[in-house]
Amino acid sequence: MIDVPAEAAVDDLVRNGIPPQVAKAPGQSFQALREGRVSQVTGQITGTVERVTGRPPRSFADRARQHAQRFA
């Protein structure tokens, strides 16, 4: 895994044409994840993911493990 600082990720998004005010949102999400402020899958609380997809939500870590070969 490569640890990209949130600020660098935002700067890269802006360099690639994403408006700064839009690019900040993922940067804030990355930072919240790093700081442990986001620790649960929101869809588990609301039920929205399961209603829309017919499947229960899963964590990013589970999805990343399942698709790791695609990113190797």
Side-chain angles (χ1 to χ4, degrees), residues 32-61:
L33 286 166
R34 279 195 177 93
E35 294 171 359
R37 293 184 285 133
V38 181
S39 61
Q40 62 187 3
V41 179
T42 304
Q44 290 174 340
I45 297 169
T46 65
T48 303
V49 171
E50 192 160 3
R51 279 195 310 276
V52 171
T53 66
R55 295 182 307 253
R58 58 186 174 180
S59 69
F60 176 80

Side-chain angles (χ1 to χ4, degrees), residues 1-10 12 30 34:
M1 175 169 34
I2 299 172
D3 186 17
V4 177
E7 184 176 298
V10 171
D12 189 53
F30 299 154
R34 279 195 177 93

